[in-house]
Amino acid sequence: MSSRRVIVVVVFLVVWGLATHGTYAGSGDEPHYLIIAQSLAFDGDLDVANNYAQPGNLIGAGELQPEAHARPGRDGVLRPVHDIGLPLLFAPYVRVVYPLADIVARSLPTWVLEKTRLNASLIFRHFISLAMAVLTGLLGTQLFSLFLRVATTERQAMGWALLLTLSPPLLSHSFLFFTEIPSALLVASIFKVLSEPSNQAGPSALHPDGPKGTAPRGLRGPALVGGAIGLLLLIHVRNIALVAVFFAWAIARLYRAQAARASWGAFGFGVASLLLVRTAVVYRFWGTLLTTPIARPDLSMNVLDAAREIGSRAIGLLVSRDFGLLPFAPVFALAIPGLWVLRTKPTCAPHAIWALAAAYLTTLLLPYTNPWGVSGGFAPAARMIVPIVPLLALALFVTAQAIPKTSRVLIATQLLINAYVWQFPKVMWGGQ
């Protein structure tokens, strides 16, 4: 079995085991994303009033209320305020597993359901968790591919990929129907393609019919890269800064490679098609082109208060027990010096990592662009950091190679934390 398949299988099994413990899965934003997926899967629309009112709905055990997660749109129809990218991707899967969960629950003997504390709602919940576990496993394979660029051995790259995938914050979000794991998977995948060497053996750009030599290369699969960048915004508008940097990077590669019109057209179509979907949906719901009731700028704070808020958010993202990165993932302390050490590793595209991380964190920390703060709501710690974890992981890995003794101490500490949260996963949610 290849290393990548091993990573997917191991991650899937570990997450499956974790999901069988008591968690707060199905709370916070999660069931509301599932309501959107259910509406798309069974009604083919985004009018969610009947879904929230459905008696015996397996989502939220029929007791879920829209609260602030759905509001009347400009046409008076109850509309979801969350981005629809993740529910749209999962709608076909929900169409299959929602009735399947009810069939399984009806087929099992009552004593089995009682002994396992299962019902149709929880079985459906597990189907969703297992699908997210697969996505997390795929994210692990992307980390493995990135680590291979600077690893001394394949075993080293695989070990670190497994460690970081099976540690918070990836592990703590690996079974939840949130946008963060898919966002991180897209970030890792797009980064891997865009950071591939820009030269290849072949005819030169100036003399395509001449002898083979070193020639600039554009994008591998420009339509897919463009689509992935557009999908990143459709999944969550919080990724807008990442989308902007990836878009500029892709354009630069196409320009340097003097790409053919077909490549430019394919890339443009990939990006535009997904961005137009989001724009059309947002305009239909709220009469705007980009903002929604929960994703809008707020320019009311004065500069001094904004500076204090930025400092508070930055410290919180690092060390807060409720929403910070380091309390549950101290191994990521290696990523801080790693962002500087990366400058010596051109295969890691350090300038791109700096630009992506800086752009994302800027929009996250600024109260003008993100008035809602960085806690992530009722969710495991470091939810807001997850989309850029693949970039931090690469910085971490480079530092671990440079200072192996220190990294071994942090690895041991991380493994102890992992063992604890695997047994008591509820501790990963803030304020518990």
Side-chain angles (χ1 to χ4, degrees):
M1 185 181 293
S2 69
S3 297
R4 290 176 176 79
R5 289 181 181 177
V6 169
I7 289 172
V8 173
V9 170
V10 171
V11 171
F12 180 83
L13 293 176
V14 171
V15 174
W16 189 0
L18 177 64
T20 63
H21 291 62
T23 71
Y24 292 110
S27 59
D29 293 339
E30 192 174 10
H32 302 282
Y33 277 114
L34 284 171
I35 283 287
I36 303 172
Q38 182 190 45
S39 184
L40 288 167
F42 293 96
D43 304 331
D45 61 26
L46 287 164
D47 176 357
V48 295
N50 63 307
N51 303 96
Y52 280 107
Q54 179 181 331
N57 195 327
L58 300 187
I59 302 170
E63 299 178 357
L64 187 66
Q65 298 299 315
E67 299 175 340
H69 298 273
R71 301 179 185 180
R74 63 173 186 160
D75 55 3
V77 175
L78 189 66
R79 302 295 192 184
V81 299
H82 297 288
D83 285 303
I84 68 166
L86 180 62
L88 187 63
L89 291 175
F90 267 74
Y93 181 71
V94 169
R95 186 68 177 84
V96 173
V97 299
Y98 186 93
L100 181 60
D102 191 57
I103 293 172
V104 172
R106 292 176 183 275
S107 301
L108 291 174
T110 302
W111 67 269
V112 172
L113 294 174
E114 292 176 351
K115 190 172 184 63
T116 57
R117 298 179 181 179
L118 287 175
N119 54 41
S121 182
L122 287 176
I123 292 171
F124 172 68
R125 171 63 258 169
H126 282 298
F127 280 142
I128 298 298
S129 293
L130 294 180
M132 298 304 295
V134 172
L135 292 184
T136 307
L138 294 176
L139 174 55
T141 66
Q142 296 301 302
L143 294 181
F144 172 70
S145 296
L146 293 176
F147 294 164
L148 278 178
R149 296 181 179 181
V150 288
T152 54
T153 66
E154 183 175 307
R155 182 178 179 182
Q156 181 190 45
M158 180 178 174
W160 274 98
L162 281 171
L163 172 66
L164 297 182
T165 308
L166 296 177
S167 299
L170 297 185
L171 177 68
S172 46
H173 291 82
S174 61
F175 54 94
L176 303 178
F177 195 64
F178 284 162
T179 61
E180 279 66 32
I181 290 294
S183 294
L185 178 57
L186 284 170
V187 167
S189 302
I190 298 168
F191 178 85
K192 187 179 75 170
V193 174
L194 292 181
S195 60
E196 288 176 343
S198 59
N199 293 321
Q200 65 177 353
S204 69
L206 296 178
H207 303 285
D209 297 323
K212 290 189 175 182
T214 300
R217 179 170 63 182
L219 292 179
R220 176 168 56 88
L224 289 177
V225 174
I229 293 173
L231 181 59
L232 194 56
L233 187 66
L234 186 62
I235 282 181
H236 206 297
V237 71
R238 191 191 308 129
N239 298 325
I240 190 169
L242 297 172
V243 170
V245 175
F246 277 137
F247 180 80
W249 190 5
I251 290 293
R253 283 204 58 150
L254 288 169
Y255 178 78
R256 288 196 302 266
Q258 299 180 25
R261 290 182 180 179
S263 295
W264 283 99
F267 174 74
F269 176 79
V271 174
S273 58
L274 275 299
L275 295 186
L276 286 174
V277 169
R278 186 184 189 278
T279 302
V281 169
V282 171
Y283 185 78
R284 173 72 185 278
F285 287 4
W286 318 112
T288 60
L289 297 178
L290 180 66
T291 60
T292 70
I294 62 169
R296 63 183 188 275
D298 183 356
L299 305 179
S300 62
M301 188 175 292
N302 64 57
V303 175
L304 185 60
D305 288 341
R308 294 195 189 100
E309 179 66 14
I310 291 169
S312 175
R313 291 183 182 189
I315 295 171
L317 283 177
L318 281 177
V319 299
S320 169
R321 179 257 179 267
D322 289 342
F323 56 89
L325 177 63
L326 297 183
F328 286 99
V331 72
F332 275 90
L334 294 172
I336 299 173
L339 290 171
W340 174 248
V341 178
L342 276 174
R343 76 192 191 284
T344 64
K345 304 289 183 180
T347 55
C348 297
H351 294 91
I353 290 179
W354 297 338
L356 288 163
Y360 180 80
L361 291 174
T362 296
T363 57
L364 196 62
L365 296 176
L366 276 177
Y368 303 121
T369 54
N370 173 27
W372 299 102
V374 292
S375 70
F378 189 62
R383 177 182 179 183
M384 295 293 193
I385 298 292
V386 171
I388 60 169
V389 159
L391 309 177
L392 300 179
L394 192 51
L396 179 162
F397 182 69
V398 169
T399 306
Q401 290 183 305
I403 48 174
K405 290 185 179 180
T406 302
S407 67
R408 282 195 286 269
V409 173
L410 287 172
I411 289 172
T413 304
Q414 189 64 60
L415 289 174
L416 289 174
I417 292 174
N418 291 355
Y420 183 80
V421 300
W422 197 90
Q423 291 295 327
F424 307 101
K426 285 186 175 182
V427 74
M428 295 185 289
W429 274 258
Q432 302 304 318

